[in-house]
Amino acid sequence: MRPTPDHLEQWISEGQRLRTQGYRGRFAPTPSGPLHRGNLATALLSWLAARHENGTWLLRFDDLDTPRLRAGAIDSACADLHWLGLHWDGPPILQSQRRGLYNSVLSHWRRSGDLYPCRCSRRQLAAQPLYPGTCRNRRLDWGWQQARLPAWRLRVPEPFSERCGDLVLRRADGFIAYHLATAVDELALGISEVVRGADLAAVREAQEAVIAALTPLEPPRYRHGPLLCDASGAKLSKRDGSEGLAPLKAHSIQSDQVIGLLAADLGLIAPGSALSAKELLQDVNHDPTKLKARLSANSSQRLRDQGGGISPH
């Protein structure tokens, strides 16, 4: 590993200092539309894990992929979390305001030779489970060719080369890649534990590889909650609840009813209950095994939504 520049070492050290002060978790949605029921279940799990440890819970918006963003989605998400009683610590964090940090890391790795240009297309790699290293040892140009720029790939350290392969950290369209921004923020913000959905268990290796390339410090602990699925067993997405909580609020459904529904979805309480987020936390504090049972290092749990619970109609 090449020496890290002083300014990068400073924010790594600051993140480590924050982590030593106690539990630090985060919820990091993409503001591409209203938070759907699956998003809110993940937020509730993450909030419960942080508050059970008397820790800090941060709200970060992964808003770098601008074509996916939707106007008003950040304000909507903040309002929904407040309405549910899931209050975060400090101001919301926008990745779009942290591009300088991500670009500093990229510049460091480009100077050190840890990045290389890659001109492989998605079609060429579609059948490959891991990047085969096609461009790793080729002397390719970093500039425009045939109206395209190259992607920037990281030469990942061992043993990650056989787990996730060399990773794209700057896309060919110029956008900072998800793995880079996420891993850098976990370090810089001192995140000690990441609680997220089981659909993201597969990206753990990639994000640990980015952290390992930057510092010998331990990555955060990753735990994954069960996915909320529809009646056919498919993961719920924004398509399944594009209006978020708005229809429920419009029909005077109360926040404690929604917390009860989400907690039942997650298997934390029996269906049909209504309680506040604070009351649910008290229940978890009384019996922490309930929360622990819903979280795992590489969860494959899928909880089916039978369409019951609260309806605005």
Side-chain angles (χ1 to χ4, degrees):
M1 183 183 298
R2 309 251 181 160
T4 306
D6 288 346
H7 68 288
L8 296 182
E9 284 286 3
Q10 288 175 4
W11 63 254
I12 292 174
S13 297
E14 175 61 14
Q16 184 67 4
R17 184 191 68 80
L18 291 171
R19 190 191 290 194
T20 61
Q21 294 181 347
Y23 184 105
R24 289 176 67 85
R26 53 70 163 176
F27 176 56
T30 298
S32 55
L35 297 177
H36 60 72
R37 191 157 150 183
N39 296 144
L40 293 170
T42 297
L44 179 59
L45 269 181
S46 177
W47 181 86
L48 286 170
R51 297 311 188 214
H52 174 65
E53 298 290 341
N54 294 315
T56 297
W57 191 61
L58 303 178
L59 176 61
R60 189 187 76 215
F61 287 99
D62 294 359
D63 63 338
L64 292 174
D65 195 352
T66 53
R68 296 182 59 200
L69 306 186
R70 182 170 165 182
I74 289 178
D75 289 342
S76 171
C78 290
D80 285 348
L81 293 172
H82 266 305
W83 185 71
L84 291 171
L86 304 182
H87 305 298
W88 58 91
D89 298 300
I93 299 161
L94 305 183
Q95 286 191 326
S96 60
Q97 297 177 354
R98 299 169 64 80
R99 289 191 179 97
L101 175 57
Y102 313 138
N103 283 320
S104 291
V105 175
L106 288 174
S107 296
H108 161 57
W109 277 333
R110 184 168 169 176
R111 288 193 302 269
S112 68
D114 293 312
L115 288 178
Y116 61 90
C118 174
R119 295 190 178 273
C120 297
S121 67
R122 289 188 178 182
R123 180 177 298 178
Q124 289 173 311
L125 302 176
Q128 303 286 345
L130 297 179
Y131 182 66
T134 306
C135 297
R136 197 177 222 260
N137 297 314
R138 297 173 65 188
R139 302 186 68 178
L140 298 177
D141 191 87
W142 292 87
W144 292 90
Q145 287 185 9
Q146 298 178 341
R148 288 187 76 243
L149 287 170
W152 296 10
R153 282 192 186 271
L154 174 68
R155 303 176 193 271
V156 301
E158 296 292 343
F160 294 101
S161 58
E162 297 180 358
R163 297 179 184 175
C164 62
D166 289 351
L167 302 166
V168 170
L169 298 188
R170 183 181 183 273
R171 295 170 7 192
D173 57 11
F175 286 101
I176 301 294
Y178 167 73
H179 292 317
L180 173 66
T182 298
V184 166
D185 278 345
E186 313 303 21
L187 281 176
L189 299 173
I191 302 301
S192 60
E193 179 173 271
V194 174
V195 173
R196 55 191 179 187
D199 55 327
L200 291 173
V203 307
R204 172 180 175 174
E205 297 276 14
Q207 290 165 8
E208 288 184 338
V210 175
I211 291 173
L214 195 57
T215 176
L217 295 174
E218 287 293 314
R221 180 169 64 164
Y222 297 91
R223 294 204 289 172
H224 300 91
L227 294 182
L228 183 61
C229 301
D230 62 21
S232 69
K235 171 194 165 188
L236 286 185
S237 67
K238 286 186 169 62
R239 293 189 303 272
D240 304 301
S242 60
E243 295 179 333
L245 293 179
L248 302 181
K249 293 179 180 179
H251 286 77
S252 301
I253 292 171
Q254 301 302 305
S255 60
D256 59 350
Q257 294 174 275
V258 179
I259 290 291
L261 173 65
L262 295 173
D265 284 341
L266 292 166
L268 294 172
I269 62 173
S273 301
L275 73 175
S276 69
K278 287 185 177 180
E279 289 169 335
L280 179 61
L281 177 60
Q282 291 172 355
D283 189 54
V284 166
N285 287 340
H286 179 71
D287 183 6
T289 60
K290 292 181 180 180
L291 180 62
K292 185 177 180 180
R294 309 325 295 161
L295 296 169
S296 69
N298 291 289
S299 176
S300 60
Q301 301 174 81
R302 302 175 76 86
L303 298 180
R304 183 162 296 183
D305 170 25
Q306 302 294 344
I310 300 170
S311 170
H313 304 297

